[in-house]
Amino acid sequence: MLLEEPAAGTPGSDQALRLESVTKHYVSPGGSVTALDDVSLALDRGSFTAVMGPSGSGKSTLLQCAAGLDSPSSGRVFVDGVEMSGGTEAQLTKFRRGRIGFVFQHFNLMPTLTVLQNTTLPLRLAGRRVDRARAVATLDRVGLGERLDHLPSQLSGGQQQRVAIARALVTRPRVVFADEPTGALDTRSAREVLALLQEAVRIDGRTLVMVTHDPVAAAHADQVLFLADGGLVGRLAEPTAAVVADTMTRLTEQVSGRRVSEGV
Ligand code: ADP
């Protein structure tokens, strides 16, 4: 239930995110698709996990279900030990705003709001007091303390993504979900963004889940989870870009080989 807090010290209370047998079917005119098939996982607080897999393997669906943006067909999702179900849509939204942060590939900043206004927006939406000093400190952390009154259009892509990171962190969320956060950036900006995400984990103890196609980005995580055909098929601790790239190549070959033999 959304409103029940777990008691400290109960089993699993050090987990920031837990999925129990999560399955998601989509019904479309062509028939039913199983986008996630019985996925279970548990992520500790203060961990950084990358999620990889061939196109269509269920990465976006996993992120959507884990973040409470979509509901599983079956199975359960717990954030910070609290199950994300059983409440109204309004309660779910409030829960998400309090505990979850998002970083998207294309930044998703409000074009008419300044850097500072974009950063404080989640606090305003959550009805929380807007602590200007905290927002400015967060923007200082991402190197944009001098750009408070700029509009997104006056910033580079890398700078816009850094605003988006400040916006995701300002509420001090338990879990941050990042969907291809470096996908639209040049190599140098990508490196800066990954360093900031790592800092949020190492220094602030945030828990980060990042979907990425990029083995170099994935190598910044503590572990990589590999998805294929809606299921978890592998886990790599202390990943290096080379081993991640090899694993992805093998997985993609296996999946396309299977599709050819199945006549897909
Ligand atoms: P990925 O992010 O790894 O590319 P997705 O989670 O987007 O994978 O998709 C997994 C599977 O679910 C794919 O077969 C995709 O076509 C299907 N799918 C995703 N979203 C929908 C939807 N809204 N309606 C129908 N099928 C969907």
Side-chain angles (χ1 to χ4, degrees), residues 26-28 33-36 53-62 211 227:
Y26 290 111
V27 181
S28 59
V33 176
T34 303
L36 282 183
S55 180
S57 59
K59 302 181 296 296
S60 308
T61 306
L62 178 69
V211 166
L227 273 176

Side-chain angles (χ1 to χ4, degrees), residues 50-54 57 59 212-215 218 224-227 244 248:
V51 179
M52 301 191 85
S57 59
K59 302 181 296 296
T212 182
H213 277 102
D214 178 6
V224 184
L225 300 179
F226 293 94
L227 273 176
V244 171
M248 272 303 290

Side-chain angles (χ1 to χ4, degrees), residues 3 9 21-22 36 46 55 66 71 97-98 105 111-112 117 122 160 190 211 225 228 252:
L3 303 176
S21 297
V22 170
L36 282 183
S55 180
S71 47
R97 284 182 178 153
Q105 180 173 3
T112 57
Q117 288 167 338
Q160 290 187 54
V211 166
L225 300 179
T252 309

Side-chain angles (χ1 to χ4, degrees), residues 118-233:
N118 264 290
T119 304
T120 55
L121 190 60
L123 295 170
R124 274 180 279 146
L125 287 174
R128 283 158 70 174
R129 191 174 70 82
V130 173
D131 182 340
R132 188 178 190 279
R134 191 209 286 188
V136 172
T138 311
L139 283 164
D140 265 335
R141 279 274 295 275
V142 301
L144 292 171
E146 308 290 309
R147 307 280 182 131
L148 303 183
D149 297 323
H150 283 60
L151 291 172
S153 59
Q154 296 171 306
L155 303 176
S156 70
Q159 289 169 332
Q160 290 187 54
Q161 194 61 305
R162 286 191 271 139
V163 177
I165 291 172
R167 179 183 60 183
L169 296 178
V170 79
T171 57
R172 299 180 178 156
R174 305 305 167 98
V175 187
V176 177
F177 292 96
D179 194 358
E180 296 279 2
T182 58
L185 302 179
D186 60 75
T187 311
R188 183 164 154 245
S189 304
R191 221 182 301 128
E192 288 169 359
V193 157
L194 289 163
L196 288 171
L197 293 175
Q198 255 182 341
E199 206 177 287
V201 176
R202 308 268 181 272
I203 297 178
D204 304 328
R206 304 283 161 240
T207 304
L208 189 68
V209 182
M210 173 177 75
V211 166
T212 182
H213 277 102
D214 178 6
V216 174
H220 286 72
D222 307 321
Q223 65 167 350
V224 184
L225 300 179
F226 293 94
L227 273 176
D229 293 333
L232 281 177
V233 292

Side-chain angles (χ1 to χ4, degrees), residues 235-254:
R235 173 180 175 275
L236 200 59
E238 296 177 25
T240 63
V243 177
V244 171
D246 277 354
T247 310
M248 272 303 290
T249 306
R250 256 187 298 121
L251 262 183
T252 309
E253 281 168 4
Q254 277 168 18

